[in-house]
Amino acid sequence: MALTPLNALNAFLAVGRRRSFAAAATELGISPSALSQQVRQLESRLGVPLLTRTTRSVALTDAGRRLLERAGPSVEQALEALQAATASAGEVTGRVRLSVPTISLSTVVTPILLRFAQRHPQVEVELRIEDRFVDIVAEGLDAGIRPFEAVERDMVQVRLSKRFRYVVVGSPAYLKRKGIPQRPEDLLDHDCVNILLPSTGAKYAWELERGRKTWRIPVRGPVLATHEGVLVAMAEAGLALMYAFEPTVAPHLKRGTLKLVLEPYAAWVEGLFLYFPSRAQVSPAFRAFLDVAREVTAERA
């Protein structure tokens, strides 16, 4: 296909969203070298660099970030309109791009996705499973799912879960061997597997509360990980205590392979929310996803 400004713009947007020429080339069905050429020609036409490239990474320049934020939604809507023109009457088509944290997968995301896929099989849902903070506008995403406290206040927020607790748990074998902590400060004398924050590389300080008093405990232990599933396995095996999203460990608590400790100090959070920009022009595909999310959430409530 001959190069046109729209072809080149779509090529740049794919690279900007994925931060990868290889992944974007796969999405567009062209070679990475052809894709790189299109982006370079667009940069030459505009007279500004849009991407900073190294052998290992791709990053947006300030100009590239502005172009992605302003042009991305419009181009996406245009492509969806072309796809909708060939769809059957009333059929929803297009793509929904979401950033979701690990803790939301089993309890929130999977029930919504199952119903949505059955109802709207022509819509492709792209899930980015990541526990870092994500600028969904800059990365060309439709929406994200995060705890209420992590959502910027200028976003539209749709509740997907009830309030829940973060709890400290340990296996019966560990508690028998090391004893049961009675106060938050006791955690400093225990082995604790811990979350490694992907955005900063820092260890997570466990947050506990009772009444108006709060604690942030800088625990120590043998394993750090960015994925909660690994930590659950380590705690269940008796290696250490763990700080967890209560619905994630609920099956283990029910089976008795993990037990709650320091329960009076468990910290409550407002729940998980779907969020998206308040000024966004919502696509038909995302509107359909939003309707299913609200429907499933209302039934579960």
Side-chain angles (χ1 to χ4, degrees):
M1 181 181 293
L3 178 74
T4 68
L6 186 57
N7 296 150
L9 177 59
N10 191 42
F12 160 72
L13 294 174
V15 177
R17 284 194 304 268
R18 294 185 175 275
R19 304 294 199 275
S20 165
F21 277 90
T26 299
E27 176 185 330
L28 298 175
I30 61 176
S31 69
S33 60
L35 178 61
S36 179
Q37 183 180 9
Q38 289 191 14
V39 173
R40 289 187 185 281
Q41 289 177 345
L42 178 63
E43 290 176 318
S44 178
R45 182 187 295 267
L46 296 176
V48 293
L50 300 173
L51 299 168
T52 301
R53 308 160 176 84
T54 70
T55 56
R56 295 186 178 182
S57 66
V58 176
L60 292 165
T61 64
D62 288 342
R65 186 173 296 104
R66 290 194 299 270
L67 183 59
L68 179 63
E69 291 177 359
R70 299 193 66 176
S74 298
V75 172
E76 189 70 24
Q77 287 181 358
L79 294 174
E80 288 180 354
L82 291 172
Q83 188 175 8
T86 61
S88 303
E91 185 178 51
V92 180
T93 61
R95 178 181 294 174
V96 176
R97 294 187 176 94
L98 303 171
S99 171
V100 304
T102 306
I103 61 173
S104 70
L105 293 177
S106 61
T107 57
V108 169
V109 174
T110 299
I112 294 172
L113 275 185
L114 287 173
R115 184 171 303 183
F116 183 76
Q118 292 167 355
R119 188 171 297 175
H120 302 291
Q122 298 304 314
V123 177
E124 180 180 82
V125 179
E126 179 182 311
L127 286 185
R128 297 189 184 182
I129 302 167
E130 45 200 357
D131 295 319
R132 63 184 178 91
F133 172 77
V134 177
D135 185 337
I136 59 173
V137 176
E139 299 195 19
L141 304 177
D142 293 291
I145 295 175
R146 290 292 183 276
F148 175 80
E149 292 76 8
V151 178
E152 296 178 358
R153 297 300 174 255
D154 61 347
M155 294 283 175
V156 177
Q157 302 170 43
V158 178
R159 180 180 286 278
L160 297 181
S161 78
K162 298 178 182 179
R163 295 176 75 235
F164 59 80
R165 302 187 300 178
Y166 276 96
V167 296
V168 180
V169 298
S171 73
Y174 175 87
L175 297 174
K176 182 177 181 180
R177 184 175 78 253
K178 300 285 287 190
I180 299 173
Q182 301 298 320
R183 301 176 304 159
E185 295 86 348
D186 294 344
L187 292 171
L188 296 173
D189 297 322
H190 280 265
D191 298 323
C192 301
V193 290
N194 201 9
I195 288 287
L196 188 66
L197 298 174
S199 55
T200 64
K203 302 175 185 178
Y204 186 74
W206 292 8
E207 300 179 17
L208 296 101
E209 62 185 35
R210 190 169 191 176
R212 295 185 178 181
K213 188 172 182 180
T214 61
W215 292 261
R216 287 177 57 85
I217 308 297
V219 299
R220 299 180 297 273
V223 176
L224 295 167
T226 58
H227 194 285
E228 196 174 49
V230 174
L231 303 183
V232 172
M234 296 296 100
E236 196 170 32
L239 181 68
L241 299 177
M242 179 192 175
Y243 184 79
F245 170 46
E246 189 170 16
T248 298
V249 295
H252 306 275
L253 295 172
K254 187 175 182 179
R255 289 196 300 268
T257 55
L258 290 175
K259 294 186 177 296
L260 290 173
V261 298
L262 296 172
E263 188 171 7
Y265 299 91
W268 284 92
V269 293
E270 282 301 310
L272 294 170
F273 287 73
L274 181 74
Y275 67 97
F276 54 95
S278 59
R279 297 178 299 277
Q281 293 181 311
V282 176
S283 68
F286 180 63
R287 172 60 62 189
F289 183 86
L290 186 58
D291 290 343
V292 171
R294 284 173 165 150
E295 178 183 298
V296 171
T297 301
E299 291 176 4
R300 290 164 62 88

